[in-house]
Amino acid sequence: MSLLPSTGDVTGEQEGEIQVLGVGDDGSADVFEALSSDTSRRILTAIYDEPAPPSVLADRLDMSLQNVSYHLDNLEDVGVIQVAGTRYSEKGKEMNVYAPADDPVVMFVGTEERKTGFRDLLKRLVGATGLLFVISTLLFAFQAFGQPGGASDDLTLLELLSFPGLEFLLGGLFVLGLVVLLWVWNR
């Protein structure tokens, strides 16, 4: 381990806005080309599993450093990965740490109208799912800790499953699933 300073822990979390690319959109051909290689897809999957510098990826995937670097450059050029920090090797060499790009990319085949509808549906589902989890957590916390006799150290699995927060979450996810099925059915 190097004693030189490195940037903090790099995660694979994506906090940006979902980018929906249609087959005919600018840049989609470049993304398809970059992802056409099995090697690129293996590297991309490894980065999603755990961001890392090229040498670590090469070791993890049993590939040459030159091969990994070539594909990393291609993936970075089309915007599906980014340099998210730096680390120093044991020899003191600065290394870029690659992670997924902040803006996830979704490739969509269909008309412009359907692409717009799909993008809107994705945004609504992400927001609705997040809201479901927040409300469920609050209900669970209130039931478990907010009332006299609400929680004890020896809760059974059956008692945990009967909390309103879990019931609310499962019901909400079921309703969201029905909304998606209806959307697909009506298209």
Side-chain angles (χ1 to χ4, degrees):
M1 184 55 100
S2 173
L3 298 176
L4 295 172
S6 295
T7 56
D9 288 334
V10 176
T11 66
E13 294 180 22
Q14 294 178 297
E15 298 173 2
E17 183 146 336
I18 295 172
Q19 303 297 313
V20 179
L21 285 179
V23 175
D25 289 351
D26 291 340
S28 64
D30 295 334
V31 173
F32 279 125
E33 185 177 333
L35 295 175
S36 67
S37 163
D38 288 336
T39 302
S40 287
R41 291 190 304 274
R42 284 185 59 208
I43 293 169
L44 184 59
T45 300
I47 288 171
Y48 269 91
D49 289 342
E50 184 179 349
S55 59
V56 172
L57 290 167
D59 289 343
R60 193 185 318 157
L61 297 171
D62 195 29
M63 295 179 187
S64 72
L65 180 58
Q66 293 79 12
N67 193 19
V68 169
S69 295
Y70 170 80
H71 289 284
L72 286 173
D73 287 342
N74 290 341
L75 292 169
E76 185 180 19
D77 287 345
V78 299
V80 294
I81 65 169
Q82 66 185 4
V83 175
T86 56
R87 290 189 190 151
Y88 289 89
S89 69
E90 291 178 7
K91 297 179 181 178
K93 182 179 180 195
E94 185 177 58
M95 304 179 296
N96 288 332
V97 177
Y98 289 89
D102 279 337
D103 297 333
V105 175
V106 175
M107 298 302 291
F108 184 80
V109 179
T111 64
E112 186 64 32
E113 175 186 319
R114 292 190 85 185
K115 182 179 103 175
T116 303
F118 178 71
R119 181 184 304 126
D120 292 342
L121 178 67
L122 274 178
K123 288 178 183 178
R124 288 182 185 140
L125 283 176
V126 169
T129 305
L131 184 61
L132 273 174
F133 278 103
V134 168
I135 292 171
S136 300
T137 302
L138 292 173
L139 284 171
F140 179 81
F142 176 74
Q143 179 71 26
F145 306 108
Q147 323 181 30
S152 65
D153 292 335
D154 56 346
L155 285 175
T156 66
L157 180 60
L158 186 57
E159 290 171 329
L160 282 173
L161 292 177
S162 68
F163 278 119
L166 181 62
E167 294 167 358
F168 181 82
L169 175 66
L170 294 175
L173 290 174
F174 178 74
V175 170
L176 283 176
L178 288 177
V179 168
V180 170
L181 287 174
L182 284 172
W183 183 80
V184 170
W185 182 268
N186 288 326
R187 290 297 182 164

